[in-house]
């Protein structure tokens, strides 16, 4: 750990003084902190955060949630899905807190929204499978009858959401952002969906509206209907006067943390035809809102996805960040996760985590062994408290669990 103390001595000069202005100490401090950290220009104030002046956006790491709107299917649909396809149902068995709660209580700064085009309105207000379960097909939700992008996971079978329309979701983000104007930048990952799903019972499942250039223009328009330009971090802002977006981030880097505070940025999860259509007529993402999911060497490459953070993926991600790219990866996937009643040890083993701690002397890894509180091989740091026995501690929402390295005193 590097600790830096900055002392600023202020003196008052007469208005007519021609004395040279003091050199900005942050330029030297940032350069010594790391050669890759370039100081931002601006006034020097004693209260200015070193991180705000030195850190670029891609040099920060934040927690994100997947399918951030998702609510587990309700009964009786839930039981029907479990009976029909237990593996599918297992992947749907989770419910997220509302977006503002994720921001406040879970410290999430990246969310993901799945969007379906619905330019005429009403495409997703009928749930055709529900009459088979004795329920009406009509959702009775006025918002679903209105034109605009809808937010859901899988049409017809997994449609519960904490915000049913894209605009509703964005309004929730904006309300929170306005109330926390110094927040770390929030990244909204947008997954575009238009694939049909099998209809094995022939009940007339809805066919999604294809998403093409017209729909992508409408997506930008919906974002701008909620957020003013000064609240958005867009490709135009990052590119500046450079010829391409990639040239900008490799040369000047992303904006500093301080410059990006209070802003919201949008990232396209998809690649392929969606990226191609989004770039059509906007080869440098001129006038666009979303950063596209591109690969190094492409003109629009600033944001890249590398979903495997393990093994060789670690070095790949570190190299991309070092070069200047903003990287999205995944630490967990699907719902191979804790269930109510599980212990922390059971949850770790279910997730393939093969050790809880390392020994103080040799650094050898240790995994849960007896699972009944006798062997003490499952010691972890839980919620900042060391030497907790993972086999005796039940999991709960929001728990922070860390591998314990070497010796740690109990309670610390």
């Amino acid at each position: 750990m590097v600790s830096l103390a900055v002392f600023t001595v202020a003196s008052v000069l007469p208005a007519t003084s021609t004395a040279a202005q003091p050199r900005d100490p942050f330029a030297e401090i940032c350069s010594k902190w790391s050669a890759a950290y370039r100081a931002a220009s601006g006034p020097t104030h004693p209260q200015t955060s070193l991180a705000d002046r030195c850190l670029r956006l891609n040099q920060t790491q934040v927690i994100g949630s997947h399918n951030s709107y998702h609510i587990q299917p309700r009964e009786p649909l839930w039981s029907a899905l479990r009976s029909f396809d237990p593996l599918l149902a297992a992947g749907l068995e989770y419910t997220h807190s509302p977006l503002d709660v994720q921001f406040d209580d879970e410290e999430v700064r990246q969310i993901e929204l799945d969007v379906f085009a619905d330019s005429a309105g009403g495409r997703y207000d009928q749930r055709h499978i529900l009459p088979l379960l004795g329920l009406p097909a009509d959702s009775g939700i006025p918002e679903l009858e209105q034109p605009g992008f809808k937010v859901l996971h899988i049409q017809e079978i997994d449609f519960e959401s904490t915000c049913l329309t894209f605009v509703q979701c964005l309004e929730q983000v904006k309300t929170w952002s306005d109330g926390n104007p110094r927040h770390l930048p929030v990244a909204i990952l947008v997954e575009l969906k238009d694939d049909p799903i099998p209809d094995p019972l022939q009940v007339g499942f809805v066919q999604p509206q294809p998403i093409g250039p017209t729909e992508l223009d409408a997506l930008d328009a919906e974002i701008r209907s909620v957020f003013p330009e000064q609240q958005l971090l867009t490709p135009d802002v990052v590119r500046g006067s450079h010829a391409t977006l990639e040239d900008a981030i490799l040369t000047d880097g992303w904006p500093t943390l301080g410059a990006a505070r209070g802003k919201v940025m949008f990232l396209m999860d998809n690649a392929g035809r969606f990226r191609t259509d989004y770039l059509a007529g906007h080869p440098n993402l001129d006038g666009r809102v979303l950063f596209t999911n591109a690969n190094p060497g492409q003109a629009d490459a600033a944001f890249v996805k590398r979903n495997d953070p393990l093994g060789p993926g670690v070095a790949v991600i570190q190299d991309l960040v070092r070069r200047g790219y903003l990287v999205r990866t995944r630490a967990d996937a699907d719902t191979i996760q804790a269930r109510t009643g599980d212990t922390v040890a059971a949850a770790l083993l279910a997730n393939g985590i093969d050790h809880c701690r390392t020994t103080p002397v040799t650094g050898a890894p240790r995994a849960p062994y007896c699972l009944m509180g006798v062997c003490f091989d499952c010691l972890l740091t839980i919620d900042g408290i060391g030497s907790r026995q993972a086999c005796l501690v039940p999991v709960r929402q929001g728990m922070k669990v860390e591998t314990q390295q070497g010796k740690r005193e109990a309670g610390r």
Side-chain angles (χ1 to χ4, degrees), residues 65-75 78 89-99 101-102 106 108 112 153 158-163 334-340 396-398:
S65 58
H66 180 63
N67 297 339
S68 309
Y69 56 86
H70 189 267
I71 296 175
Q72 178 180 315
R74 306 181 196 274
E75 293 291 358
W78 172 241
L92 309 179
E93 192 179 1
Y94 64 99
T95 295
H96 278 300
S97 304
L99 298 180
V101 176
Q102 293 185 48
E106 300 168 20
V108 165
E112 185 207 23
H153 187 218
D158 191 26
F159 43 75
E160 301 285 355
S161 175
T162 59
C163 44
D334 303 317
T335 57
I336 307 173
Q337 59 184 15
R339 298 292 194 268
T340 301
R396 60 171 175 76
Q397 180 72 20

Side-chain angles (χ1 to χ4, degrees), residues 67-227:
N67 297 339
S68 309
Y69 56 86
H70 189 267
I71 296 175
Q72 178 180 315
R74 306 181 196 274
E75 293 291 358
L77 178 57
W78 172 241
S79 292
L81 290 172
R82 292 181 67 185
S83 298
F84 184 77
D85 191 337
L87 186 60
L88 169 65
L92 309 179
E93 192 179 1
Y94 64 99
T95 295
H96 278 300
S97 304
L99 298 180
D100 60 336
V101 176
Q102 293 185 48
F103 295 144
D104 278 333
D105 297 347
E106 300 168 20
E107 299 181 346
V108 165
R109 291 296 180 268
Q110 181 255 300
I111 60 173
E112 185 207 23
L113 302 175
D114 295 337
V115 298
F116 289 76
D118 186 12
S119 58
R123 185 176 289 264
Y124 298 100
D125 69 336
Q126 304 289 313
R127 283 78 183 263
H128 296 89
I129 197 172
L130 294 185
L132 297 179
L133 305 173
L135 298 175
D138 191 345
S139 68
I141 300 174
E143 294 92 329
L144 295 181
E145 299 175 3
Q146 300 302 312
F149 282 87
K150 306 302 187 291
V151 175
L152 62 146
H153 187 218
I154 305 174
Q155 65 271 29
E156 302 286 3
I157 63 173
D158 191 26
F159 43 75
E160 301 285 355
S161 175
T162 59
C163 44
L164 295 166
T165 71
F166 189 46
V167 167
Q168 277 185 347
C169 296
L170 300 187
E171 288 174 341
Q172 291 181 14
V173 177
K174 187 177 190 302
T175 298
W176 181 87
S177 178
D178 290 345
N180 299 272
R182 287 282 297 161
H183 67 77
L184 292 176
V186 172
I188 300 179
L189 190 68
V190 179
E191 182 173 357
L192 306 160
K193 290 192 167 183
D194 62 5
D195 289 332
I197 61 171
D199 185 5
L201 301 178
Q202 300 298 308
V203 297
F205 282 175
V206 66
Q207 298 297 304
Q209 177 180 338
I211 296 178
T214 300
E215 289 74 24
L216 293 171
D217 289 345
L219 186 76
D220 276 2
E222 288 198 12
I223 295 171
R224 287 193 162 107
S225 75
V226 176
F227 292 101

Side-chain angles (χ1 to χ4, degrees), residues 112-113 115 187-192 211-212 216-217 219-220 223 265-279 285 288-294 300 303-305 328:
E112 185 207 23
L113 302 175
V115 298
I188 300 179
L189 190 68
V190 179
E191 182 173 357
L192 306 160
I211 296 178
L216 293 171
D217 289 345
L219 186 76
D220 276 2
I223 295 171
M265 62 186 301
F266 289 81
L267 313 171
M268 183 182 290
D269 184 67
N270 313 75
R273 62 182 174 89
F274 294 112
R275 171 178 168 268
T276 300
D277 286 345
Y278 196 68
L279 287 169
L285 293 175
R288 287 302 201 184
V289 178
L290 278 69
F291 291 88
T292 43
N293 171 19
D300 57 320
F303 158 65
V304 298
K305 275 177 39 178
R328 183 261 191 172

Side-chain angles (χ1 to χ4, degrees), residues 390-409:
C391 67
L392 300 181
V393 179
V395 296
R396 60 171 175 76
Q397 180 72 20
M399 176 179 281
K400 295 182 180 179
V401 179
E402 303 171 68
T403 303
Q404 187 161 303
Q405 306 295 332
K407 184 177 180 181
R408 187 85 177 265
E409 295 179 21

